DNA sequence: GCCGGCATCAACCGATCGGTTGATGCGGCT
DNA sequence: AGCCGCATCAACCGATCGGTTGATGCCGGC
């Protein structure tokens, strides 16, 4: 890709409205060309291979093939395309996974037009572009990688937690999982420390915040 | 508005991308004209008064003046415009409030173009258009209006619940809200029955499910 | 082969929670 | 004036929870 060439784009979003908005926006601006669209992660991989775009504008939450998986696969393939994640909420729990997976940038959909253009140009050159909210999340995540809470729950712990969220008592959980009440308590104390909380109510809350439940 | 006249639109959404997408979509289709845009509820009210559109395409979650309040105010004013809610998620907790507030229709943003056009024409004629998911929610809500769980929590109850979700004990909640522990327990038992649960963990879970927390 | 993570169980204790009943005062609505 | 929802408080009880310590067996990585 030379400096003065058009930046070619692939738009990936499950909402037709958003795809149209992005396509119109970039086709009417100088320096860009939209090669195609996709409405889910799997489709995005096909189109990316066929069209070989410079930059992929990618939504994260999509039915039928999530965005994060698509980014991972692109990275694994060593794809030339840079991925610019374009999502709705900055509270998205997939923020960090997406960046870890290899996304070049992360922007919110409510970004003004100019910011979008700038971000795409930056992404095309391989420069990282992050929305302020995401940037601050990142630094705090990097600053404390051993923060209590990023430790993944074991399968059994998640099962116990799911029952807790339904209001099940320890004794009932024990019966339902065919284990003793003592074991249930052990799982609970373990997942409390993993989540960095002190009781079941807070555990349920943080589980929802992190997308473990719900 | 005569039968063969253009249907005039006002687009309300906080995302420039979505606004562009809708504008382009309707301007390039016959039978519609876009009078203007707004990016929040307050602005929407101004534009609606100034432009007098036939139909208002309205997002619900917006910074600086929520969509539901705007719809309420339009209804209160006896505005001529029909409001067609166009939102991202069918799990949105504002679905029913929006309809109660006077929205004529409720569609998801991932609806295909033709469905959007049909819905706008229907809305312009005052006919109700609901996306299937919303429709089924509605019937279940109407079918059992006294179901334990649709009762709204009082302000105090929500405050207590929020602290519970943070792992605060009853005694600590009492101190933090400057009330006695007995009162905290009273609020809790009340919100338990309102939410249809038996303990704080389940209360937190259903609160997240319903969008009361998170 | 050793170590660590996971899952399992036991017994004990204090602290907390949930349920109940009953009561008071305030504000809005009719 | 009367009613109702909301918020406040009290005292009591049994049930449950959370914390701790200690132990066993299995499996996979180094």
């Amino acid at each position: 890709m030379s400096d003065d060439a058009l930046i070619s784009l692939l738009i990936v979003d499950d909402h037709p409205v958003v795809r149209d908005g992005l396509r119109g926006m970039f086709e009417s601006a100088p320096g860009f060309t939209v090669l195609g669209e996709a409405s889910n992660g799997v489709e995005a991989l096909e189109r990316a291979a066929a069209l070989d775009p410079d930059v992929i504008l990618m939504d994260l939450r999509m039915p039928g093939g999530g965005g994060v998986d698509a980014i991972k696969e692109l990275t694994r393939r060593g794809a030339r395309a840079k991925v610019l994640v374009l999502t709705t909420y900055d509270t998205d729990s997939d923020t960090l996974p997406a960046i870890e997976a290899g996304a070049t940038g992360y922007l919110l959909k409510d970004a003004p037009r100019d910011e979008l253009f700038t971000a795409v140009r930056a992404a095309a050159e391989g420069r990282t572009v992050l929305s302020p909210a995401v940037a601050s999340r990142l630094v705090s995540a990097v600053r404390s990688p051993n923060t209590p809470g990023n430790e993944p729950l074991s399968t059994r712990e998640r099962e116990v937690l799911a029952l807790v969220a339904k209001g099940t008592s320890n004794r009932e959980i024990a019966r339902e999982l065919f284990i003793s009440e003592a074991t249930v308590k052990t799982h609970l104390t373990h997942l409390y420390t993993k989540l960095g909380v002190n009781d079941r109510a807070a555990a349920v809350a943080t589980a929802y915040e992190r997308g473990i439940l719900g």
Side-chain angles (χ1 to χ4, degrees), chain A:
Chain A
M1 187 192 71
S2 65
D3 285 346
D4 53 351
L6 289 176
I7 297 176
S8 60
L9 297 171
L10 171 62
I11 296 172
V12 186
D13 198 300
D14 56 328
H15 302 314
V17 172
V18 175
R19 289 202 303 272
D20 267 34
L22 290 170
R23 178 183 275 274
M25 192 176 288
F26 281 98
E27 280 184 340
S28 64
F32 304 101
T33 174
V34 179
L35 297 182
E37 302 177 1
S39 62
N40 61 58
V42 179
E43 208 179 319
L45 290 173
E46 296 172 11
R47 298 295 169 88
L51 302 173
D52 188 36
D54 296 323
V55 176
I56 303 178
L57 293 178
M58 172 102 70
D59 193 12
L60 282 188
R61 301 201 184 174
M62 290 175 294
V68 175
D69 289 337
I71 299 174
K72 273 186 193 155
E73 180 59 19
L74 285 169
T75 307
R76 201 189 61 77
R77 292 183 188 175
R80 192 184 63 82
K82 303 290 189 298
V83 177
L84 183 56
V85 171
L86 199 57
T87 193
T88 308
Y89 299 113
D90 57 351
T91 60
D92 202 311
S93 59
D94 290 333
T95 309
L96 279 80
I99 293 171
E100 285 172 12
T104 300
Y106 200 109
L107 277 190
L108 299 185
K109 277 183 192 162
D110 54 6
R113 289 165 182 74
D114 291 343
E115 200 171 314
L116 266 181
F117 296 151
T118 309
V120 169
R121 287 194 204 95
E125 296 169 15
R127 285 187 287 119
T128 300
V129 193
L130 296 180
S131 76
V134 175
S136 61
R137 284 187 122 208
L138 256 190
V139 297
S140 62
V142 171
R143 195 186 39 181
S144 57
N146 291 335
T147 179
N150 284 5
E151 304 172 64
L153 299 188
S154 74
T155 308
R156 210 49 163 169
E157 286 161 355
R158 280 198 305 275
E159 287 174 0
V160 171
L161 182 54
L163 289 171
V164 164
K166 289 170 62 182
T168 320
S169 77
N170 290 350
R171 191 167 303 167
E172 290 168 334
I173 293 173
R175 271 201 285 271
E176 221 165 304
L177 297 183
F178 302 105
I179 57 181
S180 89
E181 195 177 338
T183 307
V184 174
K185 293 176 68 171
T186 306
H187 289 314
L188 280 176
T189 49
H190 284 167
L191 69 87
Y192 290 162
T193 54
K194 283 184 180 179
L195 294 176
V197 300
N198 298 311
D199 64 41
R200 44 180 59 210
V204 169
T206 58
Y208 269 96
E209 297 286 353
R210 303 219 181 116
I212 302 172
L213 287 176

